[in-house]
Amino acid sequence: MYTSTLFTSLALALGATAQTYKASFTEYGAGDSFGSPNCQTATTACGYYTTGYNAAVSQNEFGVGPGAGAGPACGTCWKLTIETNSSGGKVSNAGNSIVVKVDNLCPASGNPLCAQSGLTGTNQYGANLNFDTCMDSGASAALFGNSGVGLGVGTATKL
């Protein structure tokens, strides 16, 4: 929480205007139900991983498609705040926030969660963006906590 507050305060002190969007949150990485590899590696679309929390962001924000390399969103920081589960019910840790750095792409093709059209388009949860939080960096556990969900909805604020 301290880190989130520090990043937000720093961004505002620098005169940045925070951009906030409705967002959905998922998780991926070693041990997930889809058999994904470790997401805390330098083989991500951005070509690096962070020492803190990281996530893949939907293609509309990432800026380029699969195989095109690092998109303009690489290295951007976002404050993610979870509020509800995928059915709209309030999660036990509603209001919980973490700050992630984008290091990967959540491709639109074959993935309706990440197939929004521009930043005004939405996915099936009404979210303008999807953040696929990296389990291996600890981002998923920090955001979802003991809420018992693996798909949440809330807000994402670009810092």
Side-chain angles (χ1 to χ4, degrees), residues 8-155:
T8 302
S9 298
L10 180 59
L12 294 175
L14 295 174
T17 303
Q19 298 170 309
T20 300
Y21 300 93
K22 185 170 182 183
S24 52
F25 311 115
T26 51
E27 57 186 1
Y28 80 115
D32 74 8
S33 60
F34 298 106
S36 298
N38 185 324
C39 52
Q40 183 75 347
T41 68
T43 59
T44 63
C46 294
Y48 63 83
Y49 66 95
T50 68
T51 55
Y53 300 142
N54 56 35
V57 69
S58 50
Q59 189 170 330
N60 62 334
E61 174 64 18
F62 192 76
V64 298
C74 287
T76 59
C77 293
W78 292 80
K79 179 181 178 184
L80 310 181
T81 304
I82 191 168
E83 297 294 341
T84 67
N85 60 28
S86 59
S87 299
K90 190 172 182 176
V91 294
S92 61
N93 65 337
N96 184 47
S97 297
I98 65 169
V99 173
V100 298
K101 183 180 276 190
V102 171
D103 74 340
N104 211 349
L105 162 69
C106 186
S109 180
N111 190 350
L113 281 170
C114 296
Q116 300 91 335
S117 175
L119 290 172
T120 57
T122 59
N123 63 20
Q124 64 265 44
Y125 300 103
N128 307 107
L129 298 168
N130 184 73
F131 287 85
D132 207 2
T133 57
C134 177
M135 295 168 66
D136 304 297
S137 73
S140 300
L143 181 64
F144 293 110
N146 62 356
S147 67
V149 301
L151 194 159
V153 179
T155 59

